[in-house]
Amino acid sequence: MTYILGLTGGIATGKSTVSHIFKNSNVPVIDADIIARQVVEPESETLKMIINEFGEKYLMENGTLNRKKLGKLVFNDGVALEKLNGVIHPAIRKEILAQIQSYRKLGSPLIVLDMPLLFEESYQTICDAVMVVFVPEITQLKSLINRDGLTSGEAQLRIKAQWPIQKKKDLADFVIDNSTTVAVTRGQVLNWLSNQINV
């Protein structure tokens, strides 16, 4: 029996920190962000579909997707964001399900599905439980501005493109409070591991 834990949070809430704690505890992590980059590699069918939809101006000279330029478009245009999601999400889902199946065949007792848009894309339906990494919204905004070098307005647009962090927290089975130190966060994750799953 393989237990699937969905790991999510808002952008810049510290989900990657929690993901690394699981990895360092030898828990398999399926990272949706990594998969999202893999499915749009040069010459991939998904990249061809994106360029067909949005135009070659979103390609870099080396044939890779200009993620920054496309991001500026979709985070300011809801219709464009829906179109992009309609192309990219089926490819991501196919790969996630394939990886889950591979880990099941290996007999992994626990898999972590690390996914920013877990609730938005209804992946909670394939998880046994969902863990949300939480920080107050003002902390989230400051972290995103500092991390990505965005203006306050740009950062707010990116945060608003996702569900509010409080809504995700309310729907979670488990909440990791990442508003203090990494050591405190690590303690919460390791405590969950020792109490929930024998790995």
Side-chain angles (χ1 to χ4, degrees), residues 14 25 37 40 57 77 88 96 112 131 134 138 155 158 177 184 189 197:
S25 301
R37 288 192 286 275
V40 294
K57 60 187 174 186
D77 183 339
I88 201 167
I96 285 172
V112 173
M131 178 180 284
F134 176 82
I138 188 65
R158 297 202 175 199
D177 182 347
V184 171
V189 175
I197 303 290

Side-chain angles (χ1 to χ4, degrees), residues 37-85:
R37 288 192 286 275
Q38 289 172 341
V39 298
V40 294
E41 285 177 350
E43 303 303 318
S44 67
E45 284 305 310
T46 307
L47 180 58
K48 289 173 186 174
M49 289 166 71
I50 290 169
I51 297 311
N52 187 51
E53 184 69 54
F54 294 98
E56 296 210 352
K57 60 187 174 186
Y58 293 102
L59 267 185
M60 308 271 272
E61 284 185 12
N62 63 3
T64 60
L65 180 66
N66 189 329
R67 297 171 67 88
K68 192 168 185 179
K69 188 173 183 180
L70 187 57
K72 275 194 171 179
L73 168 71
V74 299
F75 285 115
N76 286 284
D77 183 339
V79 173
L81 181 59
E82 276 190 32
K83 282 182 181 176
L84 178 63
N85 287 342

Side-chain angles (χ1 to χ4, degrees), residues 40-167:
V40 294
E41 285 177 350
E43 303 303 318
S44 67
E45 284 305 310
T46 307
L47 180 58
K48 289 173 186 174
M49 289 166 71
I50 290 169
I51 297 311
N52 187 51
E53 184 69 54
F54 294 98
E56 296 210 352
K57 60 187 174 186
Y58 293 102
L59 267 185
M60 308 271 272
E61 284 185 12
N62 63 3
T64 60
L65 180 66
N66 189 329
R67 297 171 67 88
K68 192 168 185 179
K69 188 173 183 180
L70 187 57
K72 275 194 171 179
L73 168 71
V74 299
F75 285 115
N76 286 284
D77 183 339
V79 173
L81 181 59
E82 276 190 32
K83 282 182 181 176
L84 178 63
N85 287 342
V87 172
I88 201 167
H89 283 297
I92 293 171
R93 188 175 190 87
K94 183 179 178 183
E95 180 58 27
I96 285 172
L97 294 175
Q99 288 193 25
I100 288 172
Q101 193 59 29
S102 293
Y103 283 122
R104 277 193 170 130
K105 283 180 180 175
L106 291 170
S108 299
L110 170 64
I111 304 167
V112 173
L113 173 55
D114 176 352
M115 187 166 201
L117 299 179
L118 188 134
F119 285 119
E120 291 89 333
E121 296 298 320
S122 299
Y123 277 83
Q124 73 273 20
T125 59
I126 65 168
C127 299
D128 293 292
V130 175
M131 178 180 284
V132 166
V133 184
F134 176 82
V135 296
E137 285 190 33
I138 188 65
T139 306
Q140 181 185 14
L141 182 64
K142 287 178 180 175
S143 296
L144 185 56
I145 291 168
N146 292 334
R147 188 190 77 183
D148 292 357
L150 303 173
T151 66
S152 177
E154 288 172 334
Q156 286 173 344
L157 278 173
R158 297 202 175 199
I159 289 170
K160 285 177 182 173
Q162 298 182 349
W163 284 12
I165 187 64
Q166 185 63 48
K167 183 177 180 181

